[in-house]
Amino acid sequence: MSQCLTKLAATTQLELVEKESQQADFVGDDARRLPILNLVAHILRVKEMALQRIGQLLEASLDPRQNKHAELALRQEEQKPGFSIALLQIVAESAFGNTVRLASALCFKNFLKRNWTDDEGNHRLPQNEVTTIKQELVGLMISVSPNIQAQLGDAVGIIADSDFWERWQTLVDDLVSRLTPDNTAVNIGVLQVAHSIFKRWRPLYRSDELFTEINHVLGTFGGPFLALLESIDKSIDQNRTNKLALGLLFSSLNLSMKLFYDLSCQDLPPIFEDNLPAITSLMQKYLTFDDASLYSDNDDESGPLEFVKSGVLEVLTLYVQKYEDAFGPNVAVFVSCSWNLLTTIGPETKYDILASKALQFLTSVTRVPEHAQAFNNEEVMGQVIERVVLPNLALRDSDMEMFEDEPIEFIRRDLEGSDNDTRRRAATDFLRGLMSQFEKLVTQVVYKYIHHYLSEYSSDPQNKWRSKDIAVYLFSSIAATGSVTTSQGVKSINPLVNVIEFFQTNIASDLITETAVEPILKVDAIKFLYTFRTQMNREQWRDAFPLLVRHLASSDYVVYTYAAIAVERVLALVDDSRKPIVERDSVAPLAKDLLEHLFKLIQKDKVADRHQAAAKLQENEFLMRCVMRVLIVIRDGVVPLISEALMHFVNITETICANPSNPRFCYYHFEAIGALIRFAAPSEPQLVETTLCPLFATILRDDVQDFVPYVIQLFAALLEANPSGSLPEYYRSLIPPILTRDIWLSKGNVPALVRLLTSIIIKGADIIVANGQLVPILGIFNQLILSKATDTYAFELLECILTSFSASVLESYYVPLMQALLTRLDKSKTEAFASRFVKLYHFISAKGDQGLGTDFFIKIVEQIQAGIFVQLYLNIILPGTPKLARPLDRKTAVISLTKTLADSTAFAEKYAKGWAFTCDAWLELLLNPPVPASTDDFIADHDVDDMSFGVGFTQLTTIKKPARDPWPEVTNIKGWVSEYLNAANARKNGELAAFADKRLSPEARQSMTMYTKI
């Protein structure tokens, strides 16, 4: 493998040398041949030195003291031909050591993310590199250790996203050819590669293209895969006394279960349906399989046996949910297996995944009425609650250890949606699944246990606090009949219970009492309010909210963090008219102390060595999210607190810049700074700018990549908030660096850069012209318009250019700018690009009073190609206009078409039919006139779980730029249309009325009278 990669790395140079050598043979010049052979050796030495240099840079990138320099140097290396092959060669060479090889695999994966294809799907690498990567990657992945295998598997997935299967048709045949009956290690590698590719299907929507791909795979891979499953099963039987072989075989069986899920995730493969009896028999065998040699020695880590059984249960859950008609007869036997499994495994953490998967399978069974009937009996239901639900709801010693030793992890598992593999969440979902079928029965049975545990707690509160924890958890499980949403908690309630009464009777005292209450019970009480927050009215929250705030002062990490979570969510709660449930006047008096305390909590675990584990406590995203929410609620009430808030933000930013480790914390941190800028900068621009601008400049200078898109957005927000009509000096100094090519190479920077650049242009157009900086800006436009990923920002930039610079400055650039648009429209038009082009046309057409207008547009495009305007108008602009959906776009289009009818000389004299077509489009828009955009400044929530940090641009919602109405004076569009056309008709001595009489159909002429008197 390594030799093969080395050969390719020197291919180009050796081809030249070979030509020279052939020429020497032809002339018989032995004297020339010796220097040529020396040259070959020299080239190979140079390549080896280059490989060693890349290896050294990869090693340096792992050292926090050198990583910045090393990463920059690697970026330089990747510009050289053959860089990807060099990385694979390092991965293949054992001489480099495992850490360097792993770093090389990671670098290779990230390199492919950036460089495998362009926006059009074309390969960016030379074809010989593409071919070699595809030929060598599978074999290399099979041969390396599992941690390296995982990175190369991701790389295979990246390639497959664009190339599989039509541009990589040999892949499945290659995989099948590598399967062996006797080499488990090789089979594991093959299965890992296959899973890396096929798992892509799981979240996809059904489509003809997807099913063509799956059928292609099944036609080649399906049969050999089932044969391999049979072979693995036989080998397991033959190796029951061989612990090492058995472990490897179970690893391959675990991957086989994942692949079985992959291949079945969209539809039931016919080959699986035909062999379903044998498949279900095998799955039953391994769901009940037991072998002491496969037991995990560590109570906290699952072993191969648990992973295989979990994989089987995951497949079973899929088949119950999607293929019950074929799988239904087998459900009962697997319910029995799952029941036995749940009632025999212990409480150790290593069984958590297995218990969760078994509960998820049973939950899927409860969703099918026919199978759910097995539970429709009070005695059976009691056994289910007592033997399955309660053991998995109860707090274990390991849970309490996590509560104390890893509090942030406890919170994330217990609170967020990412905890589906916790026993408590799975048991709750199972109980709710039963509730969906037998609400009254489940409520009656569970209430008996709730009363039992509450009585047990009452008899000995000091020692029986876990009983109350179970009671509260049971009640919450049956009280909520819908899912718990991030934004609103529980919206749908079991009508057989009273949430408020239960809180007041059993829970409120834990919040009111300051001492002698177990921290976990305080957490339960806070979480209860968080979960059922929409069930409480304003008056009830008026009493409860101060209790939550008070618990921010708790000395217990989990308690004060849960308090922050609940406070933040309650402050974000609004009614149907967007009126806050907890009003600003209730929060403003508390704001100073509240913010100061939250900042103190965030920074209290600050340590000198930021690489110690304690640093993750410092980056508590829940506390920072609460800071953000308080700032949003008090709005300009932060102005008196601005100095202290700025000091804290600067200190925190400087700390996290050294080692950003929690993307969520960083996101909320910059959202909070955005809120501060939004509400304080207009009043205190100088203080905010002089404090934050040097900090932001340092982040840009040091290229803290995770923060650069945030900082650029904040720079733009600062400039937009500055009340000065001219461009302040500091922002003038930003122009040269943001016009450099490198900063635009990261697509994640582009949206923020365009916003900042347009803000600068609006206030500093004259300065830009005077400094000769217009041409680089136009160059940026030309670059952005070429890419599907950035073309929308090119249009935004162009609209700003057209309205900010004078016609005399832009005169020589109008044609090249339009040429770039028409070229893209001709060569690689997309529906989104065409729609954006239509918006630009109407924007220009409606700006006739600023030197633009319909005739201006016609003049420019006709200089490019005579007669092209008619094609554009009939084939793109008119058909695209009714498709405009945003109210501001439709408003612009109405104004544009109105001014075309009233003011355009070309349409009056040259395009008589076009005038009629324009009127038809205008009438169609007015049938559904645009509604004025909302003027409130409500800040919508982003669900942070839906964000992909580090993948691209992340919008800061607190400083999101509102949609700007270019015509705010036009509030009644129909009234404006009537006035404008009547005035134009009078000014032109009835010309418009004559056009209407002559050019319009009787129906259109009649419709026109609804909007104008002409």
Side-chain angles (χ1 to χ4, degrees):
M1 172 70 67
S2 176
Q3 292 174 346
C4 193
L5 293 169
T6 303
K7 180 179 178 182
L8 181 90
T11 295
T12 306
Q13 290 89 340
L14 291 178
E15 283 176 348
L16 294 174
V17 172
E18 191 173 329
K19 282 187 179 180
E20 291 286 332
S21 179
Q22 290 171 352
Q23 291 172 0
D25 288 340
F26 181 75
V27 298
D29 189 351
D30 292 335
R32 285 182 60 192
R33 192 175 298 112
L34 184 59
I36 291 169
L37 293 175
N38 289 337
L39 180 58
V40 172
H42 172 71
I43 290 171
L44 292 176
R45 282 197 301 273
V46 169
K47 283 294 174 185
E48 182 61 29
M49 290 171 62
L51 215 59
Q52 291 296 328
R53 170 173 166 73
I54 294 172
Q56 290 167 1
L57 290 174
L58 289 167
E59 190 167 17
S61 71
L62 303 175
D63 184 348
R65 297 166 298 180
Q66 306 178 64
N67 64 341
K68 287 291 182 188
H69 174 76
E71 288 169 3
L72 289 173
L74 283 169
R75 282 298 183 101
Q76 294 298 319
E77 289 292 327
E78 74 177 44
Q79 305 301 320
K80 300 176 183 178
F83 178 73
S84 61
I85 304 301
L87 291 175
L88 287 181
Q89 189 174 349
I90 291 171
V91 173
E93 288 280 3
S94 59
F96 280 98
N98 285 334
T99 55
V100 173
R101 295 170 71 195
L102 178 59
S104 187
L106 179 61
C107 185
F108 176 75
K109 176 186 76 173
N110 292 331
F111 176 79
L112 289 194
K113 278 184 183 178
R114 298 189 300 270
N115 296 289
W116 185 252
T117 57
D118 59 22
D119 294 325
E120 307 295 329
N122 302 312
H123 292 131
R124 299 180 66 177
L125 299 178
Q127 193 56 45
N128 63 334
E129 280 190 48
V130 170
T131 302
T132 301
I133 288 170
K134 290 181 179 178
Q135 288 174 345
E136 302 296 336
L137 187 53
V138 172
L140 178 59
M141 183 175 169
I142 290 171
S143 67
V144 295
S145 59
N147 58 344
I148 297 176
Q149 214 170 60
Q151 299 300 327
L152 294 183
D154 290 342
V156 169
I158 292 166
I159 297 172
D161 279 338
S162 65
D163 287 28
F164 188 75
W165 62 284
E166 290 179 330
R167 291 196 297 188
W168 203 359
Q169 295 188 19
T170 60
L171 176 60
V172 181
D173 288 320
D174 186 17
L175 292 175
V176 170
S177 70
R178 293 175 187 271
L179 292 172
T180 72
D182 53 7
N183 192 328
T184 306
V186 169
N187 289 340
I188 287 173
V190 173
L191 294 173
Q192 186 68 60
V193 175
H195 177 53
S196 299
I197 299 165
F198 306 154
K199 69 181 179 182
R200 297 160 39 253
W201 300 334
R202 295 190 181 196
L204 299 181
Y205 291 107
R206 299 166 69 95
S207 67
D208 291 342
E209 295 79 7
L210 175 60
F211 277 85
T212 300
E213 179 179 322
I214 293 174
N215 288 333
H216 163 77
V217 170
L218 287 169
T220 306
F221 190 78
F225 172 67
L226 289 182
L228 178 65
L229 262 180
E230 184 179 356
S231 174
I232 293 171
D233 180 41
K234 289 180 180 178
S235 297
I236 288 173
D237 290 339
Q238 295 165 3
N239 288 274
R240 291 294 295 267
T241 59
N242 187 336
K243 182 176 180 179
L244 181 61
L246 201 59
L248 282 173
L249 286 164
F250 262 73
S251 293
S252 65
L253 186 58
N254 181 36
L255 278 168
S256 297
M257 290 301 103
K258 292 180 180 179
L259 270 168
F260 200 91
Y261 191 108
D262 297 338
L263 295 169
S264 305
C265 66
Q266 291 290 336
D267 203 354
L268 178 58
I271 191 170
F272 290 178
E273 187 171 11
D274 293 342
N275 291 275
L276 202 55
I279 291 170
T280 54
S281 176
L282 183 142
M283 289 188 175
Q284 183 183 354
K285 173 181 177 179
Y286 288 104
L287 193 58
T288 56
F289 191 90
D290 191 35
D291 192 304
S293 65
L294 295 170
Y295 292 172
S296 172
D297 296 330
N298 188 335
D299 284 347
D300 293 332
E301 295 182 6
S302 300
L305 193 59
E306 288 77 46
F307 283 126
V308 166
K309 291 185 178 184
S310 298
V312 169
L313 287 162
E314 200 168 0
V315 171
L316 296 177
T317 301
L318 174 72
Y319 272 59
V320 169
Q321 291 172 339
K322 298 194 69 171
Y323 315 122
E324 196 275 333
D325 53 340
F327 185 70
N330 301 286
V331 168
V333 67
F334 286 112
V335 168
S336 176
C337 292
S338 301
W339 175 271
N340 291 334
L341 189 152
L342 285 166
T343 54
T344 54
I345 59 174
E348 293 84 4
T349 305
K350 66 181 179 181
Y351 297 122
D352 283 3
I353 293 177
L354 180 54
S356 298
K357 296 300 180 185
L359 286 164
Q360 288 168 22
F361 168 69
L362 292 178
T363 303
S364 69
V365 172
T366 66
R367 307 294 185 192
V368 183
E370 176 187 345
H371 301 306
Q373 287 302 316
F375 301 104
N376 190 13
N377 177 283
E378 186 171 352
E379 182 180 350
V380 172
M381 190 66 71
Q383 291 183 16
V384 168
I385 303 301
E386 191 157 333
R387 299 186 62 187
V388 173
V389 174
L390 290 176
N392 290 293
L393 275 183
L395 278 172
R396 302 164 296 172
D397 291 341
S398 59
D399 296 322
M400 294 311 300
E401 287 173 9
M402 180 178 286
F403 184 95
E404 294 166 2
D405 299 337
E406 297 182 80
I408 197 73
E409 186 62 25
F410 177 90
I411 294 165
R412 288 170 182 154
R413 288 192 180 194
D414 189 54
L415 185 69
E416 298 179 24
S418 61
D419 61 349
N420 288 332
D421 285 338
T422 66
R423 295 196 189 209
R424 280 195 144 190
R425 178 55 54 86
T428 299
D429 289 343
F430 177 45
L431 196 53
R432 287 177 180 164
L434 292 169
M435 280 277 298
S436 67
Q437 299 291 341
F438 317 112
E439 184 175 76
K440 185 176 180 180
L441 174 61
V442 173
T443 303
Q444 289 174 345
V445 173
V446 170
Y447 244 107
K448 294 178 183 178
Y449 288 96
I450 292 173
H451 289 311
H452 166 75
Y453 284 113
L454 286 176
S455 298
E456 196 170 73
Y457 168 74
S458 299
S459 67
D460 187 3
Q462 187 172 354
N463 297 309
K464 297 289 186 179
W465 53 267
R466 293 194 190 203
S467 296
K468 183 170 184 180
D469 172 75
I470 294 178
V472 172
Y473 225 98
L474 276 174
F475 181 86
S476 297
S477 298
I478 64 167
T481 57
S483 59
V484 182
T485 65
T486 303
S487 60
Q488 295 183 309
V490 173
K491 293 283 286 182
S492 179
I493 295 295
N494 179 352
L496 302 175
V497 303
N498 188 321
V499 170
I500 303 302
E501 181 184 345
F502 186 85
F503 173 76
Q504 292 171 338
T505 305
N506 301 293
I507 298 178
S509 59
D510 292 334
L511 286 177
I512 296 169
T513 305
E514 297 190 15
T515 58
V517 177
E518 279 292 323
I520 198 73
L521 295 184
K522 286 192 173 291
V523 167
D524 287 344
I526 295 168
K527 186 178 177 184
F528 192 94
L529 288 177
Y530 162 83
T531 302
F532 297 103
R533 58 189 178 273
T534 57
Q535 305 306 310
M536 297 172 63
N537 57 39
R538 278 189 173 81
E539 291 69 29
Q540 290 165 336
W541 269 120
R542 195 172 293 122
D543 296 331
F545 185 71
L547 296 176
L548 290 179
V549 173
R550 192 173 74 188
H551 281 79
L552 288 170
S554 171
S555 60
D556 188 280
Y557 186 97
V558 179
V559 172
Y560 70 65
T561 300
Y562 262 97
I565 292 166
V567 166
E568 189 277 329
R569 285 292 80 195
V570 173
L571 290 179
L573 204 59
V574 295
D575 60 20
D576 294 338
S577 61
R578 288 187 173 180
K579 185 178 179 181
I581 297 298
V582 179
E583 297 178 347
R584 175 186 174 183
D585 292 343
S586 303
V587 182
L590 310 172
K592 184 178 187 300
D593 293 337
L594 188 54
L595 286 171
E596 191 62 35
H597 185 68
L598 287 167
F599 281 126
K600 181 180 177 181
L601 291 174
I602 289 168
Q603 296 175 279
K604 78 170 192 173
D605 290 313
K606 186 175 179 180
V607 289
D609 183 358
R610 297 188 183 92
H611 307 297
Q612 293 181 4
K616 77 174 184 179
L617 296 185
Q618 173 191 344
E619 297 187 14
N620 184 326
E621 68 262 30
F622 303 108
L623 296 177
M624 186 54 78
R625 187 176 189 179
C626 193
V627 170
M628 175 200 75
R629 184 62 56 191
V630 172
L631 292 173
I632 290 173
V633 170
I634 66 173
R635 308 178 84 79
D636 57 2
V638 74
V639 173
L641 318 174
I642 187 68
S643 297
E644 294 83 358
L646 283 170
M647 177 190 69
H648 289 300
F649 281 129
V650 169
N651 290 338
I652 293 169
T653 306
E654 289 174 345
T655 302
I656 62 177
C657 273
N659 182 28
S661 59
N662 183 346
R664 295 182 179 198
F665 177 87
C666 297
Y667 166 73
Y668 287 123
H669 173 68
F670 287 109
E671 282 281 23
I673 295 176
L676 186 77
I677 291 171
R678 176 171 179 169
F679 299 119
S683 302
E684 296 284 351
Q686 186 173 0
L687 176 60
V688 177
E689 288 178 352
T690 54
T691 305
L692 293 179
C693 285
L695 177 67
F696 294 165
T698 301
I699 290 172
L700 294 180
R701 184 198 65 207
D702 295 345
D703 192 26
V704 185
Q705 293 183 6
D706 293 344
F707 295 171
V708 168
Y710 292 139
V711 164
I712 298 171
Q713 289 180 75
L714 294 170
F715 262 133
L718 276 172
L719 178 55
E720 291 159 4
N722 191 306
S724 172
S726 59
L727 187 66
E729 186 62 38
Y730 190 88
Y731 297 97
R732 300 182 191 188
S733 66
L734 282 178
I735 300 176
I738 67 171
L739 294 184
T740 58
R741 175 178 177 272
D742 288 350
I743 198 169
W744 291 86
L745 292 178
S746 171
K747 288 186 172 63
N749 291 344
V750 169
L753 283 169
V754 169
R755 178 176 178 180
L756 177 57
L757 185 53
T758 54
S759 300
I760 289 173
I761 290 171
I762 290 169
K763 291 192 175 186
D766 293 341
I767 295 167
I768 289 170
V769 173
N771 293 335
Q773 294 164 325
L774 176 59
V775 172
I777 292 174
L778 298 178
I780 289 169
F781 162 79
N782 283 327
Q783 191 62 37
L784 296 180
I785 204 66
L786 295 175
S787 167
K788 294 176 183 176
T790 58
D791 55 23
T792 186
Y793 304 107
F795 280 107
E796 185 179 336
L797 179 59
L798 180 58
E799 289 177 354
C800 180
I801 290 170
L802 292 175
T803 53
S804 300
F805 295 99
S806 65
S808 59
V809 169
L810 293 175
E811 188 172 2
S812 61
Y813 302 114
Y814 285 137
V815 171
L817 289 170
M818 190 59 66
Q819 178 74 64
L821 292 172
L822 297 185
T823 300
R824 171 66 200 282
L825 204 57
D826 178 54
K827 301 294 184 185
S828 55
K829 183 184 77 169
T830 64
E831 186 174 343
F833 185 89
S835 176
R836 195 61 185 83
F837 183 85
V838 172
K839 295 177 192 177
L840 176 70
Y841 167 78
H842 287 304
F843 179 83
I844 292 173
S845 173
K847 290 282 185 179
D849 55 338
Q850 296 183 27
L852 301 175
T854 307
D855 290 344
F856 163 85
F857 185 92
I858 295 170
K859 174 185 173 184
I860 298 302
V861 298
E862 289 294 310
Q863 290 181 56
I864 297 170
Q865 180 182 328
I868 195 172
F869 175 74
V870 172
Q871 299 176 40
L872 290 172
Y873 200 67
L874 295 180
N875 297 320
I876 294 177
I877 295 169
L878 284 180
T881 297
K883 298 177 184 178
L884 298 177
R886 293 173 64 241
L888 284 179
D889 294 334
R890 294 175 65 83
K891 179 179 180 179
T892 300
V894 170
I895 293 173
S896 159
L897 297 178
T898 302
K899 291 186 175 182
T900 298
L901 295 172
D903 302 333
S904 171
T905 301
F907 274 82
E909 299 176 358
K910 187 176 180 180
Y911 304 125
K913 289 184 178 180
W915 197 94
F917 295 149
T918 300
C919 192
D920 290 338
W922 175 80
L923 288 169
E924 185 176 351
L925 283 178
L926 286 174
L927 285 175
N928 182 23
V931 177
S934 172
T935 56
D936 69 16
D937 55 356
F938 178 76
I939 298 175
D941 267 346
H942 268 176
D943 187 348
V944 73
D945 292 323
D946 292 339
M947 296 183 181
S948 301
F949 297 109
V951 174
F953 174 71
T954 302
Q955 171 74 59
L956 295 176
T957 58
T958 52
I959 52 168
K960 185 177 181 180
K961 195 173 183 179
R964 188 179 66 88
D965 185 353
W967 295 273
E969 69 280 2
V970 180
T971 55
N972 179 350
I973 192 69
K974 289 185 177 180
W976 178 87
V977 163
S978 177
E979 291 178 14
Y980 196 90
L981 289 179
N982 290 340
N985 187 55
R987 188 174 65 250
K988 295 187 176 185
N989 298 318
E991 183 181 78
L992 300 189
F995 288 163
D997 292 337
K998 183 178 180 181
R999 298 175 177 180
L1000 298 181
S1001 66
E1003 295 80 11
R1005 185 68 181 92
Q1006 179 62 35
S1007 297
M1008 193 176 189
T1009 60
M1010 296 169 57
Y1011 308 108
T1012 178
K1013 295 178 180 178
I1014 65 172

